Amino acid sequence: MTNPTLRDEQAGAHLDAIRQSYDTVAADYARFVKDPGALDPVSRAVLTAFAESVTASGLGPTADVGCGPGKVTAFLTGLGVSAFGIDLSPRMIDLARAAHPELRFEVGSMTALESGDGELGGVLAFYSTHHLPPTELPSVYQEFHRVLAPGGHLLLVTRVGEEEHQRRTYGYGDGDPAPFDSYRLPADRIAGLLERAGFAITAQTLQAPEEGAKRPVAGFLARKPATAKAP
């Protein structure tokens, strides 16, 4: 059996590495990442469907976890969502606040969200969970479930694969080298983990890789049932 203290230390070291890498590449990343309005039609449609679901529910604000420079948070706000952003990287949050001073952005981790139980109407994880080792996903999904109000909505979008682990040592643009670990799981495994965390999946998309990309993209629209109990 794994020692819980050792497991917590390993998770902390992993989060520190992610934070340091994104602090290093933050400025290049902000230039590199597309504005949501320039995304492909399916991605825009999924974001719009999520926005309509959370605004119709009227249950509370939406957390954009792993918000980066805040472009998607701002896009959701433009669709009428009361959204705020959370990111592990202080440098990313600095850029988000500078670009969108009217919005709320906080440094934080999706592994331990500061929102109270049932406080949120929506949680968005848009290409922000793939750096987590698969062993950490169940607890993260349970954390999403915890902060959502009964009837609240989750949108998770990520690249998928066949139990793949990729490590690269460069970031974005011509900035300093920064290591990144990425994990690609099968879509059905992610769906199963979400269901075990207590979510009901309401829609699922699977997009073929864009030109130059190597992995398809899966989107999961899910809901915390109105009569949900803690998983």
Side-chain angles (χ1 to χ4, degrees):
M1 181 178 296
T2 303
N3 183 306
T5 301
L6 177 60
R7 184 175 62 243
D8 291 344
E9 290 176 353
Q10 291 172 335
H14 181 70
L15 293 177
D16 285 344
I18 296 173
R19 180 185 300 108
Q20 291 169 10
S21 290
Y22 272 107
D23 275 349
T24 299
V25 304
D28 285 328
Y29 181 89
R31 290 190 294 268
F32 174 85
V33 70
K34 291 181 180 178
D35 288 323
L39 293 173
D40 63 273
V42 174
S43 295
R44 296 199 309 271
V46 171
L47 283 168
T48 300
F50 172 70
E52 291 178 355
S53 295
V54 296
T55 53
S57 73
L59 291 172
T62 290
D64 177 8
V65 296
C67 66
K71 295 183 180 184
V72 179
T73 316
F75 182 76
L76 289 179
T77 301
L79 294 176
V81 178
S82 175
F84 66 98
I86 301 169
D87 201 275
L88 194 61
S89 162
R91 182 59 182 141
M92 284 290 194
I93 292 298
D94 287 344
L95 293 173
R97 288 171 175 166
H100 309 285
E102 75 285 3
L103 301 182
R104 171 185 161 200
F105 294 98
E106 303 172 351
V107 177
S109 172
M110 68 178 69
T111 62
L113 296 169
E114 294 188 2
S115 298
D117 294 356
E119 185 177 320
L120 303 181
V123 171
L124 172 66
F126 195 71
Y127 295 97
S128 60
T129 59
H130 59 283
H131 295 307
L132 295 171
T135 54
E136 295 182 25
L137 291 179
S139 62
V140 169
Y141 294 168
Q142 288 167 15
E143 185 71 349
F144 294 167
H145 185 276
R146 178 188 69 79
V147 298
L148 279 173
H153 297 271
L154 167 72
L155 172 58
L156 187 151
V157 177
T158 188
R159 297 195 186 280
V160 293
E162 296 299 326
E163 308 285 351
E164 300 161 20
H165 174 202
Q166 178 187 27
R167 182 173 177 82
R168 67 184 193 185
T169 58
Y170 59 92
Y172 297 84
D174 299 321
D176 295 329
F180 288 95
D181 287 284
S182 297
Y183 302 86
R184 315 296 188 196
L185 301 184
D188 58 355
R189 183 176 173 193
I190 295 173
L193 291 174
L194 289 171
E195 290 170 343
R196 282 194 284 279
F199 287 102
I201 295 175
T202 56
Q204 184 173 328
T205 61
L206 184 65
Q207 297 172 247
E210 295 180 352
E211 185 177 354
K214 297 181 179 180
R215 299 292 179 270
V217 172
F220 304 86
L221 282 162
R223 183 172 177 266
K224 180 175 178 176
T227 56
K229 297 179 180 180

